[in-house]
C-alpha cells in the first residue's frame, strides 16, 4: 500500500499541497487541487476527497466535498458530492480489507507479529549471541597450522603479497587496477542496472541504491578470475593460497568482521524502532519521546555511541584476550559436537536473512515520511551518509583529453551515499560469506587437516574428544604451507602412550584438549541443509514480495481513479527511472459568474494555507 502513482495531469498554477492531502491549495482563486504523492499514505486520502483544511474554509462551510465539484454551499451539487465521497470511502475501505486479507500479506505487512519491535530486537541480539557461541565451539578456530584457503588466499596474496621483481610488480599493479575498474563497471552497469534494477525490477535497487555492494561483489569475482589468469601467465612467482598466518589468527579477524556487522545491525534496529512514529506509534511512547527529543536528540546519539563502545570492547576482548584455549576449556558449558555446530550455523544464516525480512519496509526499504522527520542513522543526525571527497578531488585535477574522457565515468560516480537500510543489512549480506565458510568447515571437517587428532572415550558410546597441536616446529614437519604431508604424525598414538596415558615427549605435553567433540556423524550433512535452503528462499521471497507490492500499488491506483487498466503503468516507469511521481487531480473550473466576494474569500484562504 505504500506507493501510489495516479495518472498525471497538469496543475493549474503549481501551487498545491502534498503528503496525503493533509491540506488543499487554491488555484486562480476558485478551484482546488488535491495532490496524492507516490510515497504518500493512501489510507489518509481515499479517492479525490478534499481535506479538512479545505472543507473548513468559508466557501465550503463545515462539510467535505469531492474535488471534482465546485465548493459552493448554495449549489445543489454539494449534496451529491457528499454522497459521492461516502461511496468512494466505502469502496476504498472494502478494497483495503480485501487486499489486506490476502494469503501472502505476511510478506509485506508491517503489522505481523514477527515484525513487532521486540521481535526485531530479539532476533538481532540472537545473531550476536549465536555467532559468539559458534566461535567458541568451532575447533577450527583453535588450529595452529598455516591458513591455506584456496580462492580467498589467492585474493589475499594478490592484494597484499607483492613479488620481488620489478616486472612482476608492474604487471601485478596493472592487473589490480584492471580488476578494480572492470569489476566496478560490471557491478554497476550489468549486475545492478541491467539485472537487479531493470530486469528484476527490485525496488531496493532503485536509482543507484545498493550499487556499491553490487560493485564489491563483482570486484571479488573479477579479482578471483584475474588471480588464476595471473598464475597461468607467471609460472615462477605464482599466487599461493597460503595466507602466511595461522588459522587461529585468521579466525579471530573473520570473527571481528562478523560481530562488527552484528553489532551495527543491532544498534541500527534498536535506534530505528525507538524513532518510529508510523508503524508502532503506540509502542513505548514515553521512551520514544525521551529517546528522540531529550537534549535536542543528543541523548539518542550519546547512548548509541556508549552502547557501541561497550559491545565492541566486550566482544573484541573475548575474541583476542580470552579466546578459546585453556580458559574456555575450564568453563562449565560447551562440548557441542559437529551436529550441534551445523545446527548453529543454520540458525545464524536463518537469523541473518530473517532480520532483513523483519524490516517494516521490506522489500523496497523506502522509509515513510514521519511527522517528526525521517528516520536518522544511529549515532548521527542525518538520514543517510554521504561522502563526496573523491568527486571534489577529481574536479580539482586537470581534465583528461576528450578521447580518454569518453571512457571514464562521470565525477558523480565517485560520490558514496549509504542509506540507513543498506548500512544495517548490507554488512549482514556480506557476512553470509563467512557463514558459508563456517558451514563448509562443519561439513568437511577432518581433524588431521587442521593439526588436530581424536582420542577415544572410555567406551564406544562416548564421543571423540579433539586434541590440537600447538608445537610450531612439530607442525612444520607434518605440514607444508597448511597442507598435511605426514598424516601419521597427527594421531593420538604418535603423541601419547595409549597404555599409560603419558605424553611422548615435551611436545605432546603441550597439546590442548578441547571441549569440542567430533563423532563422525553423517547427520551433520542434513543439519546444514535448512541454512543453505534459506538463501535461495530469501531471494525468491524478495522477488515475489516486490512483485506483489508493485501489483498492489497499481491495483490500488486503478481502484482510486476508477481507470479501466488501459492507462500507462506509471508505477513501473517511476521505478525504472528512480523518480518519485506526483499525481495531480485538478477540479472543475467554475464559470466567470463567481461573485467578487467569493473571489476575495478564495484569495484570503489561498494566502492563509
Amino acid at each position: 500500500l505504500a506507493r501510489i502513482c495516479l495518472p498525471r495531469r497538469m496543475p493549474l498554477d503549481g501551487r498545491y499541497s502534498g503528503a496525503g492531502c493533509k491540506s488543499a491549495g487554491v488555484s486562480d482563486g476558485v478551484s482546488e487541487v488535491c495532490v496524492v504523492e507516490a510515497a504518500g499514505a493512501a489510507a489518509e486520502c481515499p479517492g479525490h476527497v478534499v481535506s479538512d483544511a479545505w472543507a473548513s474554509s468559508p466557501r465550503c462551510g463545515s462539510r467535505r466535498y469531492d474535488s471534482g465539484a465546485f465548493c459552493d454551499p448554495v449549489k445543489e451539487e454539494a449534496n451529491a458530492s457528499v454522497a459521492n465521497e461516502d461511496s468512494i470511502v466505502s469502496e476504498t475501505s472494502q478494497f483495503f480489507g480485501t487486499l489486506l486479507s490476502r494469503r501472502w500479506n505476511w510478506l509485506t505487512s508491517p503489522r505481523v507479529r514477527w515484525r513487532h519491535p521486540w521481535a526485531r530486537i530479539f532476533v538481532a541480539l540472537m545473531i550476536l549471541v549465536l555467532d559468539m557461541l559458534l566461535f567458541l565451539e568451532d575447533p577450527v578456530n583453535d588450529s595452529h597450522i598455516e591458513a591455506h584457503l584456496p580462492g580467498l588466499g589467492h585474493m589475499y596474496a594478490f592484494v597484499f603479497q607483492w613479488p620481488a621483481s620489478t616486472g612482476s610488480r608492474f604487471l601485478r599493479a596493472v592487473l589490480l587496477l584492471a580488476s578494480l575498474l572492470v569489476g566496478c563497471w560490471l557491478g554497476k552497469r550489468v549486475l545492478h542496472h541491467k539485472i537487479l534494477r531493470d530486469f528484476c525490477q527490485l525496488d531496493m535497487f532503485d536509482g543507484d541504491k545498493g550499487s556499491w555492494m553490487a560493485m564489491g561483489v563483482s570486484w571479488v569475482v573479477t579479482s578471483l578470475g584475474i588471480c588464476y589468469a595471473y598464475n597461468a601467465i607467471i609460472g615462477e612467482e605464482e599466487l599461493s593460497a597460503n595466507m602466511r598466518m595461522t588459522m587461529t589468527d585468521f579466525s579471530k579477524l573473520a570473527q571481528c568482521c562478523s560481530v562488527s556487522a552484528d553489532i551495527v545491525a543491532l544498534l541500527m534496529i534498536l535506534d530505528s524502532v525507538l524513532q518510529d512514529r508510523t508503524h508502532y506509534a503506540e509502542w513505548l511512547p514515553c521512551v520514544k519521546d525521551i529517546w528522540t527529543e531529550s537534549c535536542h536528540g543528543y541523548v539518542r546519539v550519546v547512548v548509541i555511541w556508549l552502547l557501541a563502545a561497550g559491545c565492541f570492547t566486550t566482544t573484541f576482548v573475548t575474541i583476542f584476550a580470552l579466546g578459546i584455549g585453556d580458559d574456555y576449556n575450564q568453563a562449565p558449558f560447551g562440548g557441542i559436537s559437529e551436529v550441534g555446530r551445523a545446527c548453529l550455523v543454520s540458525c545464524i544464516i536463518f537469523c541473518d536473512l530473517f532480520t532483513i525480512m523483519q524490516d517494516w519496509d521490506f522489500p523496497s526499504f523506502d522509509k515513510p515520511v514521519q511527522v517528526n522527520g525521517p528516520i536518522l542513522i544511529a549515532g548521527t543526525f542525518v538520514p543517510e551518509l554521504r561522502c563526496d571527497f573523491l568527486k571534489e578531488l577529481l574536479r580539482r585535477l586537470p581534465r583528461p583529453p576528450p578521447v580518454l574522457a569518453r571512457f571514464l565515468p562521470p565525477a558523480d560516480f565517485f560520490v558514496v551515499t549509504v542509506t540507513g537500510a543498506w548500512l544495517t543489512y548490507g554488512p549482514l549480506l556480506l557476512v553470509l560469506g563467512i557463514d558459508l565458510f563456517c558451514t563448509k568447515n562443519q561439513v568437511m571437517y577432518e581433524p588431521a587437516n587442521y593439526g588436530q587428532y581424536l582420542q577415544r572415550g572410555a567406551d564406544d558410546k562416548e564421543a571423540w574428544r579433539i586434541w590440537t597441536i600447538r608445537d610450531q616446529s612439530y607442525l612444520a614437519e607434518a605440514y607444508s604451507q597448511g597442507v598435511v604431508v605426514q598424516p601419521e604424525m597427527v594421531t593420538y598414538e604418535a603423541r601419547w602412550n595409549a597404555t599409560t596415558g603419558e605424553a611422548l615427549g615435551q611436545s605432546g605435553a603441550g597439546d590442548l584438549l578441547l571441549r569440542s567433540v567430533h563423532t563422525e556423524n553423517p547427520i551433520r550433512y542434513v543439519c546444514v541443509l535448512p541454512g543453505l535452503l534459506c538463501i535461495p528462499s530469501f531471494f525468491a521471497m524478495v522477488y515475489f514480495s516486490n512483485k506483489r507490492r508493485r501489483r498492489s500499488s497499481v491495483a490500488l491506483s486503478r481502484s482510486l481513479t476508477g481507470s479501466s487498466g488501459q492507462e500507462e503503468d506509471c508505477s513501473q516507469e517511476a521505478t525504472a527511472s528512480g523518480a518519485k511521481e506526483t499525481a495531480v487531480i485538478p477540479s472543475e473550473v467554475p464559470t466567470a459568474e463567481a461573485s467578487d466576494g467569493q473571489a476575495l474569500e478564495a484569495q484570503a484562504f489561498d494566502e492563509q494555507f
Side-chain angles (χ1 to χ4, degrees):
L1 307 180
R3 298 199 297 124
I4 306 170
C5 191
L6 303 179
R8 190 180 184 92
R9 301 179 185 177
M10 294 299 296
L12 297 180
D13 64 347
R15 293 179 293 177
Y16 53 86
S17 63
C21 294
K22 280 295 183 183
S23 60
V26 179
S27 177
D28 296 337
V30 291
S31 62
E32 68 272 16
V33 179
C34 181
V35 179
V36 180
E37 290 187 351
E44 296 180 0
C45 186
H48 305 165
V49 180
V50 181
S51 65
D52 294 332
W54 172 257
S56 61
S57 64
R59 301 179 57 215
C60 291
S62 59
R63 294 180 295 178
R64 302 172 67 187
Y65 297 88
D66 183 82
S67 60
F70 178 62
C71 290
D72 191 349
V74 301
K75 291 189 176 183
E76 297 180 356
E77 288 82 1
N79 297 328
S81 300
V82 175
N84 186 25
E85 173 198 349
D86 295 337
S87 63
I88 291 176
V89 173
S90 178
E91 293 177 0
T92 306
S93 302
Q94 183 179 3
F95 175 79
F96 283 143
T98 304
L99 191 63
L100 291 175
S101 62
R102 290 182 177 178
R103 180 182 302 176
W104 299 101
N105 180 62
W106 58 271
L107 279 175
T108 56
S109 175
R111 299 296 298 186
V112 291
R113 294 183 178 180
W114 49 272
R115 282 195 172 108
H116 192 273
W118 283 123
R120 296 187 61 187
I121 296 174
F122 174 76
V123 175
L125 183 61
M126 285 302 299
I127 296 176
L128 181 61
V129 174
L130 294 177
D131 204 355
M132 290 299 300
L133 180 60
L134 179 63
F135 172 74
L136 296 175
E137 290 289 343
D138 193 356
V140 177
N141 297 332
D142 205 22
S143 174
H144 293 272
I145 65 171
E146 291 182 294
H148 182 81
L149 305 173
L152 182 60
H154 288 93
M155 292 185 57
Y156 178 83
F158 180 65
V159 177
F160 297 104
Q161 299 176 6
W162 289 74
S165 61
T166 305
S168 299
R169 288 189 175 185
F170 177 76
L171 179 61
R172 179 81 65 84
V174 172
L175 291 178
L176 183 60
L177 181 61
S179 67
L180 182 62
L181 296 178
V182 174
C184 292
W185 185 85
L186 290 176
K188 187 167 186 177
R189 299 297 179 182
V190 179
L191 179 60
H192 183 272
H193 289 1
K194 298 295 183 181
I195 300 177
L196 298 176
R197 189 188 68 182
D198 298 338
F199 179 75
C200 298
Q201 296 183 351
L202 298 179
D203 292 339
M204 66 173 66
F205 294 100
D206 278 350
D208 291 330
K209 293 189 298 184
S211 59
W212 283 97
M213 192 190 76
M215 288 189 292
V217 173
S218 179
W219 175 77
V220 170
V221 177
T222 305
S223 299
L224 187 60
I226 291 181
C227 287
Y228 289 105
Y230 178 86
N231 285 343
I233 298 175
I234 304 296
E236 298 179 356
E237 300 179 351
E238 65 178 8
L239 300 174
S240 174
N242 184 25
M243 300 186 66
R244 298 182 183 179
M245 66 176 68
T246 63
M247 283 296 301
T248 302
D249 297 333
F250 172 77
S251 300
K252 291 180 178 180
L253 293 177
Q255 184 65 15
C256 288
C257 296
S258 181
V259 298
S260 297
D262 299 340
I263 293 173
V264 170
L266 175 61
L267 296 179
M268 289 289 295
I269 291 174
L270 176 64
D271 184 55
S272 63
V273 299
L274 290 178
Q275 292 186 62
D276 171 61
R277 301 284 186 174
T278 303
H279 301 292
Y280 288 87
E282 73 282 0
W283 181 72
L284 301 180
C286 298
V287 178
K288 290 181 179 180
D289 292 339
I290 298 175
W291 184 260
T292 57
E293 299 177 4
S294 297
C295 299
H296 304 285
Y298 280 96
V299 170
R300 180 184 66 86
V301 175
V302 172
V303 171
I304 285 294
W305 282 106
L306 291 178
L307 289 176
C311 292
F312 279 108
T313 302
T314 303
T315 53
F316 283 14
V317 166
T318 304
I319 293 171
F320 285 101
L322 300 179
I324 41 184
D326 297 325
D327 295 335
Y328 173 67
N329 286 333
Q330 302 300 325
F333 58 89
I336 302 178
S337 65
E338 71 273 16
V339 176
R341 296 192 296 269
C343 294
L344 275 179
V345 173
S346 295
C347 291
I348 292 174
I349 295 176
F350 170 78
C351 290
D352 285 342
L353 302 177
F354 188 64
T355 300
I356 302 175
M357 290 190 60
Q358 282 184 306
D359 191 90
W360 294 322
D361 303 297
F362 177 85
S364 64
F365 301 111
D366 290 331
K367 299 299 180 182
V369 179
Q370 299 196 121
V371 178
N372 59 337
I375 297 293
L376 305 179
I377 293 179
T380 67
F381 292 100
V382 295
E384 63 181 17
L385 300 180
R386 180 181 177 88
C387 178
D388 54 357
F389 173 75
L390 294 177
K391 176 183 176 180
E392 298 298 331
L393 180 62
L394 292 176
R395 285 184 175 180
R396 298 178 183 273
L397 297 178
R399 291 187 176 182
V403 179
L404 182 61
R406 295 172 53 187
F407 302 95
L408 296 178
D412 295 336
F413 176 83
F414 298 95
V415 177
V416 181
T417 303
V418 182
T419 61
W422 281 106
L423 183 61
T424 305
Y425 308 120
L428 290 180
L429 291 176
L430 297 178
V431 166
L432 278 178
I434 300 179
D435 297 337
L436 293 177
F437 175 75
C438 294
T439 304
K440 187 266 298 182
N441 289 343
Q442 309 312 318
V443 173
M444 306 177 62
Y445 174 76
E446 290 294 337
N449 295 333
Y450 298 96
Q452 298 169 346
Y453 55 90
L454 299 178
Q455 176 190 5
R456 191 67 175 175
D459 52 65
D460 293 341
K461 296 182 180 180
E462 187 172 346
W464 293 77
R465 299 294 300 276
I466 301 176
W467 288 81
T468 183
I469 303 175
R470 294 189 289 185
D471 188 356
Q472 293 295 329
S473 59
Y474 188 87
L475 292 173
E477 297 178 6
Y479 293 83
S480 175
Q481 295 186 350
V483 180
V484 59
V485 293
Q486 299 185 30
E488 66 277 1
M489 296 179 60
V490 193
T491 60
Y492 181 80
E493 291 75 13
R495 305 290 291 173
W496 298 85
N497 189 323
T499 304
T500 62
E502 297 180 356
L504 299 178
Q506 188 175 1
S507 176
D511 295 351
L512 179 64
L513 178 62
L514 304 180
R515 292 184 62 86
S516 301
V517 297
H518 181 67
T519 60
E520 301 179 352
N521 196 331
I523 299 180
R524 56 182 172 174
Y525 298 101
V526 181
C527 293
V528 298
L529 287 180
L532 297 178
L533 293 177
C534 284
I535 299 177
S537 301
F538 168 77
F539 290 108
M541 283 188 285
V542 168
Y543 176 76
F544 287 110
S545 59
N546 183 84
K547 191 175 181 180
R548 178 183 179 275
R549 194 183 188 104
R550 293 167 59 87
R551 287 180 177 178
S552 300
S553 299
V554 174
L556 181 60
S557 172
R558 292 173 179 174
S559 174
L560 294 179
T561 58
S563 60
S564 60
Q566 299 179 355
E567 294 85 350
E568 181 182 3
D569 187 0
C570 58
S571 177
Q572 297 181 359
E573 179 182 356
T575 303
S577 60
K580 300 298 183 183
E581 295 290 345
T582 303
V584 182
I585 300 96
S587 58
E588 296 179 357
V589 181
T591 58
E593 283 82 11
S595 62
D596 296 338
Q598 290 178 337
L600 292 176
E601 291 178 359
Q603 182 178 2
F605 177 76
D606 191 359
E607 295 175 356
Q608 178 181 1
F609 290 96

